[in-house]
Amino acid sequence: MITSRHILYSLSLRPSLHTFPTRWRIALGFLLTDEMFTIVMADKFKSFKADPWFALGVGGCFYIAWNLATTLGIVLGTSMPQLHSLGLDFAIVATFIALIVPSIKTFPILVCVAVAAYSAVVFALFQWQVGLFLSSVLGMLAGYITEVSYKNKGREVL
């Protein structure tokens, strides 16, 4: 369920990728990570639409870094006693926060993030296994409803 977010990433990238040859779409799909998605979808990197090599370079760098970090973790992790006491498990949370916060540029996105974060905490307290997935769906729904209501009232979405 956690990796189902990649379906959403792929759907978001489809308008940019549908004209690429199949071999490019497969390669970029293999390299798709949270970080790659965030970078290629950032406003300042819209050149991705015209340059698949950019996306390949970004994805390739993350793939190499991921494998090197995993190898380093395997080697060093077994030699460090009491590793769990260092609080390194927060690193993944910090990574997602660092990826999400710069993308909050409109009120509907803020609502989306706030609802997803709040519901994720609530679901975690109740220890629901599908909580992360449900939080994503609730956040997207809240953001969509907010955006539609703003447009229907004739307001410009911040």
Side-chain angles (χ1 to χ4, degrees), residues 8-22:
L8 300 172
Y9 294 166
S10 298
L11 290 172
S12 295
L13 291 172
R14 187 181 188 288
S16 300
L17 296 177
H18 79 280
T19 59
F20 291 3
T22 302

Side-chain angles (χ1 to χ4, degrees), residues 8-83:
L8 300 172
Y9 294 166
S10 298
L11 290 172
S12 295
L13 291 172
R14 187 181 188 288
S16 300
L17 296 177
H18 79 280
T19 59
F20 291 3
T22 302
R23 68 182 190 284
W24 273 104
R25 293 193 314 264
I26 290 171
L28 296 176
F30 174 76
L31 296 172
L32 185 59
T33 61
D34 303 307
E35 296 84 2
M36 178 189 168
F37 177 78
T38 302
I39 288 175
V40 299
M41 292 302 287
D43 289 335
K44 60 184 171 183
F45 293 119
K46 288 301 182 186
S47 63
F48 161 65
K49 291 182 179 183
D51 187 6
W53 289 102
F54 174 77
L56 187 66
V58 170
C61 288
F62 282 119
Y63 181 76
I64 292 167
W66 179 280
N67 284 289
L68 289 174
T70 299
T71 303
L72 189 63
I74 291 169
V75 172
L76 294 178
T78 57
S79 64
M80 297 177 73
Q82 304 296 324
L83 189 61

Side-chain angles (χ1 to χ4, degrees), residues 89-106:
D89 50 344
F90 183 73
I92 192 70
V93 175
T95 299
F96 276 102
I97 290 170
L99 290 172
I100 291 170
V101 169
S103 70
I104 302 173
K105 296 180 179 152
T106 65

